Amino acid sequence: VRNPNGDCQKHGEFLLSKSQIVQTACHIEAVKPFRSSFVYSQWNHALVTAIIEKVTNETFGTYVRRKIFIPLGMSRSTFMRPGGDNVATPYSIDDHMNPVRVKHLNMTDRTGFAGGYAMRTTIKDLLALYQSLLQAHAHELRQDVQSTDGSPFRDVKAIFSPYIGVGTAAIDGIAYCLGLYRTRLPNNLATSSVNNLLVGPRRMPRIGGNSTGLEVFHHTGNVPGYFASAFLIPSTMSAIVVLTNSLSFVDPTDLVGQLLVSQILDEQPPHDLLKFCHLAQSASMAAYKALNLQLQKYKTEKPPDLPLVAYEGEYFNKAGTFIIAISLVEKGLRMTMQHMPLTSYHLIPYDGNTFYWPANRNAEIEQSMWPIPSTGYHKIVFGANERHGIDRLTWKHDPLASPEVFEKRKGTSTLPLGKLWCFVMPENGHQLLSLRFAAET
């Protein structure tokens, strides 16, 4: 999830309350027709979280702890912020290869995305979970049943069944199951990793030349400060878990995991991995360079159509659950998400009623953000009508989706077109007084 409706933005600040999750999800427009193609989205995990809490009358973390953690002895797993000092500190890697300590994401059992983001655990606990899952899967297949005595899991066959092909791949090659990718070898095992996005699937190594038809189930986890990968091989009852506490230019957990898969299957390991890492680093840095060149290419000297105060106000999404507040400050306009103290952006005139903020990967990672090299993400387009003046803004916050319209609510600041507005400046010239006059032209 990269859009503001449910994502953490600056400094790990979560922008939606748990009570707003379902209503917001119901108003998100589909990127593509249902089941026509695969698009990964954390909103499904958010809805499952909400359903479980509604049905059980428990928090998601309490339910999972009672049903899974305790039976499997996962004593170091939680959906809350763990205490003590035996916790991996998150870092991101800047453009100069320096580690930058970042804040933990504010995702816990009290937020609406607990099922997709909030679990904290260890390699030992994850291996216990995956061992139980693999055993239940093998038993259900062997006995043609839907449950296994003593296992907290049921209907595991359904979880491991492919439902739609990923990308251009046919469903019998690379497919998505229920929370897992299923890849039939020989193939690219990096489908779920950012490595696949950075260098492209054609450049990714292919694993399993001597294991034709063998199935590997896998997934990655990516949040600011951490990478994680898991690979499950039912035919050998093997589980591989790789965790790191840094967000770098390449996903090392994916590469290390593939090396271990090759070792278990007695396959040739991927070669030239160091060369691949340099390629991924170059692609990541080039993306931001291209982004800034693109932003500057279409920036004009055309000033805003109205005085900056005309753009002030509160703009709401269709569900009415997300507020973008535009305020006038000393240096121009500030855009604040949900009136939260940490997540705001300084808007610079771009082209008439379009404003932007520059792209800076180092600044973004220092603010615990996930890098998003998208021009649409960095531009805000205001809309107006002759009667009410500025009445909406449009933001393409999700590169895969159409721009979202946020409408200005009545009662917030609006300057109609066709009127002369005068402003009184204090002697120091630093701040606009709140005194505003209107006169018919």
Side-chain angles (χ1 to χ4, degrees), residues 378-409:
H378 286 267
K379 292 194 290 186
I380 301 295
V381 182
F382 290 91
N385 63 57
E386 293 184 359
R387 183 176 179 182
H388 297 293
I390 301 296
D391 64 351
R392 64 193 181 278
L393 68 79
T394 303
W395 185 18
K396 187 174 173 58
H397 49 73
D398 187 336
L400 297 179
S402 300
E404 184 171 4
V405 177
F406 295 78
E407 295 186 352
K408 182 185 281 189
R409 287 285 173 89

Side-chain angles (χ1 to χ4, degrees), residues 93 193-195 198 220-222 225-229 231 240-260 273 276-277 280:
I93 308 302
S193 172
V194 296
N195 293 338
L198 287 172
T220 58
N222 316 315
Y226 300 99
F227 274 122
S229 288
F231 297 84
I240 298 167
V241 175
V242 187
L243 309 178
T244 64
N245 62 325
S246 66
L247 174 63
S248 57
F249 292 96
V250 63
D251 176 5
T253 67
D254 167 58
L255 300 180
V256 172
Q258 292 194 48
L259 284 172
L260 293 173
L273 288 187
F276 173 86
C277 291

Side-chain angles (χ1 to χ4, degrees), residues 98-247:
N98 298 314
V100 178
R101 184 170 178 172
V102 298
K103 289 188 176 181
H104 290 271
L105 283 183
N106 188 27
M107 290 283 191
T108 69
D109 199 26
R110 297 188 177 94
T111 65
F113 278 78
Y117 281 117
M119 182 177 169
R120 278 86 165 173
T121 188
T122 66
I123 288 181
K124 181 180 178 181
D125 277 10
L126 279 178
L127 288 175
L129 183 146
Y130 289 135
Q131 181 185 42
S132 177
L133 197 65
L134 285 170
Q135 289 173 346
H137 179 245
H139 177 78
E140 288 186 16
L141 286 177
R142 187 169 56 250
Q143 301 296 329
D144 192 23
V145 293
Q146 293 180 299
S147 62
T148 301
D149 291 342
S151 173
F153 302 109
R154 60 173 293 123
D155 292 311
V156 181
K157 285 189 298 183
I159 295 174
F160 279 66
S161 296
Y163 294 97
I164 191 166
V166 175
T168 58
I171 194 170
D172 61 345
I174 304 175
Y176 196 72
C177 306
L178 296 180
L180 288 169
Y181 291 83
R182 193 289 322 269
T183 298
R184 184 168 280 130
L185 302 183
N187 224 317
N188 167 24
L189 275 179
T191 308
S192 64
S193 172
V194 296
N195 293 338
N196 201 56
L197 297 175
L198 287 172
V199 303
R202 293 184 179 180
R203 293 183 175 181
M204 293 300 303
R206 290 173 63 86
I207 303 296
N210 297 321
S211 304
T212 301
L214 186 142
E215 294 182 327
V216 178
F217 296 83
H218 53 101
H219 212 297
T220 58
N222 316 315
V223 294
Y226 300 99
F227 274 122
S229 288
F231 297 84
L232 307 180
I233 310 174
S235 62
T236 62
M237 295 296 287
S238 303
I240 298 167
V241 175
V242 187
L243 309 178
T244 64
N245 62 325
S246 66
L247 174 63

Side-chain angles (χ1 to χ4, degrees), residues 73-93:
M74 297 172 63
S75 59
R76 288 281 292 164
S77 298
T78 180
F79 284 87
M80 300 300 292
R81 287 286 298 272
D85 57 2
N86 189 18
V87 178
T89 300
Y91 290 86
S92 289
I93 308 302

Side-chain angles (χ1 to χ4, degrees), residues 297-421:
K297 180 179 180 180
Y298 295 101
K299 187 177 184 296
T300 71
E301 298 301 320
K302 182 181 178 182
D305 294 346
L306 293 168
L308 293 184
V309 71
Y311 301 88
E312 279 193 301
E314 294 180 336
Y315 299 77
F316 289 74
N317 65 343
K318 187 177 180 181
T321 56
F322 198 90
I323 304 171
I324 297 178
I326 305 295
S327 58
L328 191 62
V329 294
E330 181 180 338
K331 296 182 180 180
L333 293 179
R334 174 182 291 146
M335 179 174 72
T336 304
M337 304 299 169
Q338 298 281 72
H339 293 295
M340 300 294 274
L342 301 178
T343 305
S344 64
Y345 303 85
H346 174 60
L347 298 183
I348 301 171
Y350 187 80
D351 177 33
N353 282 337
T354 301
F355 293 74
Y356 85 116
W357 67 93
N360 186 316
R361 183 183 178 277
N362 283 347
E364 290 174 15
I365 65 169
E366 287 174 3
Q367 296 167 337
S368 305
M369 297 181 68
W370 183 270
I372 304 176
S374 164
T375 55
Y377 184 80
H378 286 267
K379 292 194 290 186
I380 301 295
V381 182
F382 290 91
N385 63 57
E386 293 184 359
R387 183 176 179 182
H388 297 293
I390 301 296
D391 64 351
R392 64 193 181 278
L393 68 79
T394 303
W395 185 18
K396 187 174 173 58
H397 49 73
D398 187 336
L400 297 179
S402 300
E404 184 171 4
V405 177
F406 295 78
E407 295 186 352
K408 182 185 281 189
R409 287 285 173 89
K410 293 181 180 179
T412 60
S413 175
T414 303
L415 297 185
L417 300 176
K419 292 182 180 294
L420 174 65
W421 290 84

Side-chain angles (χ1 to χ4, degrees), residues 7-71:
D7 203 5
C8 282
Q9 288 199 22
K10 292 188 176 182
H11 305 289
E13 193 168 57
F14 193 68
L15 301 179
L16 281 176
S17 67
K18 182 183 287 190
S19 63
Q20 295 173 314
I21 297 296
V22 174
Q23 184 180 359
T24 303
C26 291
H27 283 82
I28 297 176
E29 295 186 5
V31 174
K32 296 182 179 180
F34 185 57
R35 287 189 174 174
S36 65
S37 60
F38 172 76
V39 178
Y40 188 84
S41 173
Q42 286 284 6
W43 284 100
N44 300 319
H45 297 86
L47 291 175
V48 169
T49 301
I51 291 168
I52 289 174
E53 293 187 337
K54 183 70 173 179
V55 172
T56 65
N57 200 30
E58 294 180 297
T59 67
F60 182 81
T62 300
Y63 179 79
V64 172
R65 182 174 183 273
R66 179 169 60 84
K67 287 287 190 177
I68 298 176
F69 291 172
I70 292 177

